[in-house]
Amino acid sequence: MSSSSNLWSLPYPLADHRAHEAELAGALRRVCASGSYILGAEVQAFETEFADFLGVSHVVGVASGTDAIEVTLRALKIGAGSKVVLPSFAPSAVASGVARSGAEPVFADVEPGTFTLCARSLDAVLRSPQGHGVKAAVVVHLYGHPADWENLRQVALEHGIELLEDCAQAHGATWHGRMAGTLGRAAAFSFYPTKNLAALGDAGAVATNDGELAERLRLIRQYGWKQRYVSEYSGVNSRLDELQAAVLRVKLRALKGGLQQRRRLAAEYDASLESSCVATAPVVRRGCEHAYHQYVVRTERRDALMQHLRREQIPVAVHYPVPLHQQRAFGGSLMSLQESERAAASVISLPLHPCLSASAVAAVCDAMERFDHASC
Ligand SMILES: Cc1ncc(COP(=O)(O)O)c(C=O)c1O
């Protein structure tokens, strides 16, 4: 309905910026005046503050979430000649990060409820000929819902592989009281401007409790330098810059409040979807707290529902339309990963972020209900 169009006038990155504008301007001025722009006091302070937020010993800032995956694998000496398993239903950045380490991405299926890596599928891949040479799995907490860590950990232990978390969408999610990002050997974060913790450009980090790994990560992110101009490893240039770190320090202070707001708005959607015969609300597994990076419903009538919502000027999206195992970049496999394929054909992300008004969410619920009444 066009009367609701002004509800969506500010996309999340801009609304999030406006919400912190004065503080951000001060932080940016401070960095500009400091004369230190790379790996300085702001990066150090952000790494400490984010480590405290998560409850881990070390955070190492890098230039993006994709880099966080790559440098973590490199630091674990996983690269050419090795394979890494990841869920097929995930953003392609995950596979790119794996591929850039030199390791070969191998795809497993997801669970139908949470769309996160399925422990049984991981086990099946590891027992198959494809599983030879697998050194690690990247566990994506998709949309902000923690994966089935206990069962994945059992499978990983049995097969002797590393488990890495991909928390690019899961800042503030918890699994049985533990923060996502503290569960595995290391966790990759993205602070891309649409994320729950958002920079004003590209930024990322790796969190770990392993001091030696953190040390290697610090070297690898800057040419492998042990001392200036002397490389211990063949590293990369993936540094978090001072401006982004200063921005992230401001935004980090608002992260808990933002999560509460995301959860409040998600509860509104949940309540409205209870009676729907067209779409189902996202599953939240017992013991988990969802971070609602995305609020994703499932429907067998996706095209019609998307059309209806777009006609009402509601900004909806599909995360993600093509499973990775079917993408040309990653082999365009003829294999079937049923749940990933079903997910890619049936999900819709409804608008959700902490700056969204209750009336915007109510407008989405009304539009969904109208579609329901017309269809059922
Ligand atoms: C689950 C996941 N992993 C990795 C990435 C890559 O992060 P970045 O865009 O910062 O490289 C993203 C971001 O799109 C993501 O959503």
Side-chain angles (χ1 to χ4, degrees):
M1 221 144 62
S2 57
S3 62
S4 69
S5 61
N6 62 343
L7 295 170
W8 318 108
S9 54
L10 283 188
Y12 168 64
L14 183 55
D16 191 35
H17 176 254
R18 293 263 175 91
H20 307 286
E21 201 158 6
E23 249 191 302
L24 287 171
L28 294 176
R29 266 198 306 276
R30 186 176 70 233
V31 175
C32 292
S34 75
S36 168
Y37 306 120
I38 292 285
L39 295 184
E42 298 287 341
V43 170
Q44 254 179 32
F46 171 68
E47 288 177 342
T48 304
E49 288 160 11
F50 194 47
D52 287 349
F53 173 86
L54 294 174
V56 286
S57 319
H58 310 277
V59 163
V60 179
V62 294
S64 72
T66 310
D67 283 5
I69 296 169
E70 177 193 347
V71 296
T72 303
L73 291 170
R74 280 170 172 264
L76 290 168
K77 303 189 170 74
I78 297 173
S82 306
K83 294 178 184 170
V84 172
V85 178
L86 63 148
S88 175
F89 188 61
S92 58
V94 187
S96 296
V98 169
R100 277 222 327 240
S101 74
E104 181 190 335
V106 172
F107 300 104
D109 214 349
V110 294
E111 295 184 347
T114 63
F115 308 116
T116 56
L117 184 62
C118 168
R120 262 180 297 123
S121 178
L122 174 64
D123 187 54
V125 168
L126 292 170
R127 288 178 194 284
S128 75
Q130 256 199 317
H132 294 143
V134 171
K135 297 280 166 38
V138 180
V139 178
V140 182
H141 301 310
L142 197 72
Y143 306 142
H145 189 289
D148 177 13
W149 194 259
E150 188 51 41
N151 286 318
L152 291 165
R153 200 177 65 93
Q154 288 300 339
V155 173
L157 276 176
E158 196 179 321
H159 294 273
I161 64 164
E162 297 281 2
L163 276 194
L164 309 176
E165 295 177 80
D166 180 333
C167 298
Q169 304 187 356
H171 319 71
T174 66
W175 181 85
H176 295 276
R178 293 165 63 191
M179 200 64 96
T182 66
L183 306 174
R185 181 83 183 274
F189 284 87
S190 165
F191 308 117
Y192 181 79
T194 59
K195 301 303 189 202
N196 287 15
L197 178 58
L200 291 176
D202 276 316
V206 183
T208 182
N209 281 314
D210 179 335
E212 278 178 30
L213 182 65
E215 192 46 37
R216 280 201 297 281
L217 285 163
R218 287 184 201 288
L219 302 192
I220 288 171
R221 76 174 164 185
Q222 180 161 244
Y223 319 127
W225 279 356
K226 179 112 182 178
Q227 63 186 77
R228 206 166 181 79
Y229 309 127
V230 184
S231 296
E232 179 86 0
Y233 303 103
S234 159
V236 296
N237 175 355
S238 182
R239 298 174 292 216
L240 176 60
D241 72 65
E242 288 286 284
L243 284 168
Q244 297 306 342
V247 167
L248 289 167
R249 293 182 69 198
V250 171
K251 301 279 195 84
L252 180 58
R253 293 197 278 277
L255 180 54
K256 275 203 176 125
L259 281 163
Q260 280 165 3
Q261 181 63 358
R262 282 176 191 272
R263 288 174 182 143
R264 266 196 293 273
L265 296 176
E268 300 288 322
Y269 279 143
D270 286 348
S272 152
L273 284 165
E274 258 172 31
S275 55
S276 174
C277 64
V278 173
T280 51
V283 167
V284 182
R285 201 186 286 118
R286 202 174 48 81
C288 293
E289 280 182 302
H290 204 311
Y292 291 110
H293 171 58
Q294 300 291 351
Y295 186 93
V296 177
V297 299
R298 183 160 212 167
T299 173
E300 297 309 315
R301 304 205 48 211
R302 183 167 70 193
D303 290 350
L305 180 54
M306 293 267 289
Q307 259 178 30
H308 165 79
L309 293 173
R310 285 193 169 141
R311 255 199 314 273
E312 302 222 4
Q313 302 196 12
I314 292 168
V316 286
V318 171
H319 301 99
Y320 298 91
V322 184
L324 299 177
H325 70 281
Q326 294 181 335
Q327 297 193 14
R328 198 178 325 154
F330 308 112
S333 160
L334 292 176
M335 76 197 277
S336 171
L337 292 173
Q338 266 183 356
E339 293 303 338
S340 295
E341 289 159 30
R342 274 189 60 219
S346 62
V347 293
I348 303 181
S349 306
L350 302 184
L352 180 74
H353 61 75
C355 312
L356 206 60
S357 63
S359 42
V361 169
V364 181
C365 294
D366 288 349
M368 296 280 289
E369 280 166 24
R370 277 193 290 279
F371 186 81
D372 235 72
H373 290 150
S375 317
C376 303

